[in-house]
Structures are given as C-alpha cells and as structure tokens.
Amino acid sequence: MRIDLPGADVQWFPGWLAAPEAEALRLDLLAQVAWEVHRIRLFGREVDSPRLSSWIGDPAARYRYSGAEFQPHPWPASLAPLRERLEIAFAAGFNSVLVNRYRDGQDAMGWHSDDEPELGVRPVIASLSLGAPRRFVFRHRQDKALKREVVLGHGDLLLMAGQTQRHYHHALPRTARPVGERINLTFRRIAAT
C-alpha cells in the first residue's frame, strides 16, 4: 500500500516475508552478523549509536555517514537469496545493507534522511523489519507538521524511492513501553566514488 506523503514515493508491504521465513532469517542474523556499536557524529561530537549495527556489502561499497566511513563486512549466506529476491521484485540493484539491531525500546534511530552523495539523487531503499513491532515516523523537512506514522511488524517491508529522502526525514523513536528486540535491514546501492 502506498503511504500518503506528498512529494515522496513510499510503499508499505505488510507481511512481505511470511512469519516462519522472517523468524528463520531473524535467528540466522542474530548468529551470523558481526554486531558493533558504531561511533557517529551528533551535534558536533562523537557518540555511540543507540543500537547495534553492521555494514554489509560488496567489497567496494564503502559508506560514509555521520562523520564515519564504514568498510563492508562480507554478505552472510542467509542474505544472498533475500538480496536477489528484492532486486527482482523492485528492479533495483542493491550492493549493500545496513543491519540495525534494536535490543529494546531504548534503542532508537533519530531524525535523518538517507541522502549521502554516494546513494545518488533518487535512492531506492528497501527496509525490512524483523522481530517486535515498532513505530516508524516520517516528517517533512520544511513543514514539520506534516507527519505520517506506521507500525512496522515482523516481515514488513517499506520501500522508499523517488524524492523521499530529499523531502522527508524519518525516525524510529524510543518508547518507554516494554518492547521486544527488532532487527532492521536497509538495502541500498552505493555508487562508485
């Protein structure tokens, strides 16, 4: 289903991965991924990001964001068929994925756009959620009152394309309500630099 965001192209596919497949992938990733606490630049200083992460991709898919450059870890075996499936479904070539692990409601992602130069001017980003449902919020970059919220569940896919990153920020807010662990995978294409 298309999410109503003027000037953006966002589609939400609830249950894109069936629950058994989503759960098997979640367990594989917990065991296979080299989880790290990335250091990021926030308001002019370096801090630990409030989540565990891993940058995975083809060898040349180096990525710079929040003042740090990330060298890709090799693709785990469980992601190869998923990558191919996404590329076929959305006619997009993905050479990398940022995997974030939100251990509880205190792990979060602040307001940002995936608008780094190496992503290009109209990046296609496929975001797959595994595990506990969490709120995901969009906010227009100029008109802060223009917001949309979705609750992304186990196996849900969110596709962001077109001018979405140019016009909107997005976030995964903290919550005081007890929530289970969530893993999110954002597949993208890094252009050669």
Side-chain angles (χ1 to χ4, degrees):
M1 79 179 65
R2 193 164 298 280
I3 295 178
D4 180 26
L5 287 168
D9 181 4
V10 180
Q11 297 177 67
W12 178 24
F13 302 90
W16 190 80
L17 276 186
E21 187 179 2
E23 185 60 13
L25 178 59
R26 187 184 74 80
L27 294 174
D28 283 349
L29 293 174
L30 285 172
Q32 295 176 5
V33 168
W35 298 106
E36 306 166 324
V37 175
H38 288 168
R39 298 282 294 168
I40 57 173
R41 184 167 300 283
L42 193 64
F43 304 115
R45 61 184 230 267
E46 279 199 11
V47 298
D48 288 344
S49 63
R51 64 198 160 272
L52 299 177
S53 300
S54 187
W55 178 247
I56 296 168
D58 296 349
R62 292 181 304 278
Y63 189 41
R64 175 173 279 289
Y65 74 94
S66 294
E69 182 171 308
F70 297 93
Q71 302 294 327
H73 292 283
W75 290 91
S78 60
L79 289 183
L82 179 61
R83 174 188 182 183
E84 183 178 347
R85 186 171 162 188
L86 286 164
E87 289 178 335
I88 292 167
F90 300 110
F94 298 113
N95 63 3
S96 52
V97 61
L98 178 62
V99 185
N100 286 310
R101 182 177 175 187
Y102 302 91
R103 296 159 289 189
D104 57 29
Q106 293 307 297
D107 281 3
M109 177 76 76
W111 290 110
H112 71 286
S113 292
D114 297 316
D115 58 357
E116 292 79 16
E118 58 267 45
L119 293 174
V121 294
R122 298 168 59 94
V124 175
I125 297 174
S127 176
L128 179 66
S129 296
L130 303 170
R134 288 286 295 268
R135 291 173 50 236
F136 189 84
V137 186
F138 289 94
R139 178 179 73 187
H140 197 275
R141 291 174 83 155
Q142 277 74 47
D143 180 3
K144 305 279 193 248
L146 179 53
K147 291 183 181 180
R148 297 290 184 273
E149 177 180 311
V150 294
V151 176
L152 298 174
H154 197 36
D156 287 4
L157 182 81
L158 196 66
L159 187 74
M160 298 179 281
Q163 296 294 322
T164 304
Q165 305 304 322
R166 181 175 175 205
H167 296 298
Y168 290 87
H169 287 126
H170 53 272
L172 186 87
R174 284 186 171 83
T175 178
R177 182 177 55 82
V179 294
E181 187 170 70
R182 172 186 190 260
I183 293 176
N184 179 252
L185 302 94
T186 53
F187 288 83
R188 53 193 79 200
R189 175 156 203 83
I190 302 296
T193 54

